[in-house]
Amino acid sequence: MNYRIEVRFKEEIRIEGKRGKKALIFRKEVYKILSLIPSSEKFIKNELRKASSSVIANLAEGNGSYYYGRECEHFDIGLCMLAKCQSLLDLAFLQGFIKEENYKRLLESSKEIARILRALMKRLERFLDDPVESYKDCTNVNSINLEATIERAKEFQKAIYQLVRMLPEEEKENVCDQLRRAVSSLYETLIKSKEVISDGRFQQKLNYSIGSLSEVRSFLDISVMENYLTRNEYLTLDAEAGEIQK
């Protein structure tokens, strides 16, 4: 079945994007201090991994959303994750695990990203209360062959699952779980969209799929940044994700 829908392609928050890059760098700096925290403090270490990664994922997923409300919601979650990072950094500093210099640098980076997120949310405010403006304007029109997209998503899911098996053990509860969940959500939502008969509901399902795909791509950004996969592997998977998103 072919559906004709309208999608506005806006600036993507990707590894080369200014906003996304700041979040990626923040996460990388957070990861650097994890080795300074004792192995007995598993909670602080694991939660810092998850929260700093979640900031990136919510930036990407919000940016990929078709609906302004969902975009704002993901940016708000990003703010919550930054606040969580800050509280965990407070704990690590107060217990003497990290130096004051590192603590202040990370805290300032998190505050800068928070300012960016608040500015983005402020820009969206005028759309949220207007039912006519509740979704993004459309400029480009694409035809979607749903069956072909589902098949492509299925193969993409297999490739991501194969990647997950190669990731380090310490990412089992973070990047591994998030990649599995997001790519599964992508495939399952596309399957469910076959049962939808209204254009509005179909667009909503596609929006969820795009959000999941954006989240997958953000964790691919993280994986290549941490050298969990080669640049060529990253480019291949990211290009395939881009084709599905089209």
Side-chain angles (χ1 to χ4, degrees), residues 162-178:
Q162 185 175 355
L163 165 66
V164 165
R165 289 195 288 270
M166 299 162 51
L167 297 182
E169 181 66 24
E170 61 263 26
E171 293 290 3
K172 184 177 179 181
E173 296 181 5
N174 182 29
V175 176
C176 294
D177 282 352
Q178 296 288 3

Side-chain angles (χ1 to χ4, degrees), residues 90-148:
D90 289 345
L91 285 174
F93 175 63
L94 289 172
Q95 293 185 67
F97 300 147
I98 57 176
K99 294 180 180 179
E100 185 175 3
E101 178 186 352
N102 293 333
Y103 169 69
K104 287 184 175 180
R105 187 181 69 254
L106 287 169
L107 212 56
E108 184 54 41
S109 294
S110 70
K111 288 177 180 178
E112 183 181 5
I113 297 167
R115 286 194 291 269
I116 291 171
L117 284 170
R118 290 192 184 97
L120 289 170
M121 293 172 72
K122 187 73 175 175
R123 247 171 43 187
L124 295 172
E125 278 183 0
R126 70 186 181 92
F127 298 107
L128 300 180
D129 296 327
D130 187 344
V132 178
E133 298 281 8
S134 62
Y135 54 86
K136 298 173 184 176
D137 294 334
C138 306
T139 55
N140 293 335
V141 179
N142 287 322
S143 294
I144 290 184
N145 184 313
L146 187 57
E147 293 296 340

Side-chain angles (χ1 to χ4, degrees), residues 33-139:
I33 66 149
L34 292 179
S35 61
L36 304 175
I37 301 173
S39 56
S40 57
E41 296 289 344
K42 288 183 179 179
F43 174 79
I44 294 179
K45 297 179 78 165
N46 288 340
E47 292 304 307
L48 272 173
R49 283 194 186 95
K50 291 178 183 178
S52 60
S53 297
S54 183
V55 173
I56 300 166
N58 279 287
L59 268 169
E61 195 166 353
N63 188 71
S65 179
Y66 183 76
Y67 299 99
Y68 286 116
R70 282 185 62 80
E71 183 176 13
C72 197
E73 181 182 337
H74 280 292
F75 291 161
D76 186 50
I77 294 171
L79 279 175
C80 292
M81 291 299 102
L82 278 170
K84 186 173 185 177
C85 284
Q86 290 169 359
S87 67
L88 292 164
L89 290 170
D90 289 345
L91 285 174
F93 175 63
L94 289 172
Q95 293 185 67
F97 300 147
I98 57 176
K99 294 180 180 179
E100 185 175 3
E101 178 186 352
N102 293 333
Y103 169 69
K104 287 184 175 180
R105 187 181 69 254
L106 287 169
L107 212 56
E108 184 54 41
S109 294
S110 70
K111 288 177 180 178
E112 183 181 5
I113 297 167
R115 286 194 291 269
I116 291 171
L117 284 170
R118 290 192 184 97
L120 289 170
M121 293 172 72
K122 187 73 175 175
R123 247 171 43 187
L124 295 172
E125 278 183 0
R126 70 186 181 92
F127 298 107
L128 300 180
D129 296 327
D130 187 344
V132 178
E133 298 281 8
S134 62
Y135 54 86
K136 298 173 184 176
D137 294 334
C138 306
T139 55

